[in-house]
Amino acid sequence: LDVGGAYATSLTVGCPQIGLHTVFLKVTDPAGNVNTSCSRQVNVVDAGAPAITAPGPLTVSCDVYYAQSPFNSGTATATDNCAAPTITYTDGPITATCANGFTFVRTWKASDGVNMSTATQAITVQDIIKPVLSLISPIVVNSTQGPGGSPACSAQVNLAVQGNQVSDNCTDDADMTYSYYIQYPAPP
């Protein structure tokens, strides 16, 4: 084998030799006769995919997820034997709505321009922040008088919460459920 003008019995190639090369062969018989008229084209290719490591699984609240576009879940790392790999990602389908939380898989890809490898990261988004209720004024209930002028023991109370009195980081007002609890003072 001709290695830069000198013949050798073996040839080792690596990333610097990627591409098409002409290899010249030299054959010598026991009588010392030499033939150097044979050559072959050898195409050296990068057959090794980059090694990639995705960030670990992640759980975040809805407000953190929606505050960033695109959502930053960390960064994958990758190495390659020939070139610095380019790292990208794609997000898989979301499995539910944010009212209860959702999960999806982020697929990280590392490419060296020829080969590609992937790694996945599971991301869970949860609604972990309570809604905010802002009552504008206290609710006052005036009970009517009962028979004989005594105070009534009951009164009907109609409560309604307005949309601008409630906010949530993940849920629309129309999707919220309201319930009421009334605590009566102890009788004198």
Side-chain angles (χ1 to χ4, degrees), residues 124-146:
T124 302
V125 180
Q126 295 179 336
D127 184 2
I128 57 174
I129 297 177
K130 298 175 185 178
V132 176
L133 176 61
S134 303
L135 294 176
I136 297 170
S137 60
I139 299 171
V140 178
V141 177
N142 293 318
S143 63
T144 58
Q145 288 188 340

Side-chain angles (χ1 to χ4, degrees), residues 65 89-95 102-107 121 123:
Y65 175 78
Y89 68 85
T90 55
D91 290 338
I94 291 175
T95 58
F102 59 88
T103 60
F104 64 96
V105 173
R106 179 163 284 176
T107 301
Q121 175 188 26
I123 299 173

Side-chain angles (χ1 to χ4, degrees), residues 1-13 21-28 34-42:
L1 300 171
D2 182 1
V3 183
Y7 286 95
T9 56
S10 66
L11 178 64
T12 301
V13 295
H21 300 277
T22 301
V23 176
F24 297 93
L25 303 173
K26 175 181 173 183
V27 180
T28 306
V34 177
N35 183 346
T36 59
S37 64
C38 185
S39 66
R40 291 289 183 256
Q41 292 290 315
V42 175

Side-chain angles (χ1 to χ4, degrees), residues 62-89:
C62 289
D63 58 329
V64 169
Y65 175 78
Y66 286 114
Q68 302 173 15
S69 181
F71 173 67
N72 181 0
S73 66
T75 303
T77 57
T79 58
D80 187 68
N81 62 335
C82 286
T86 301
I87 300 173
T88 59
Y89 68 85

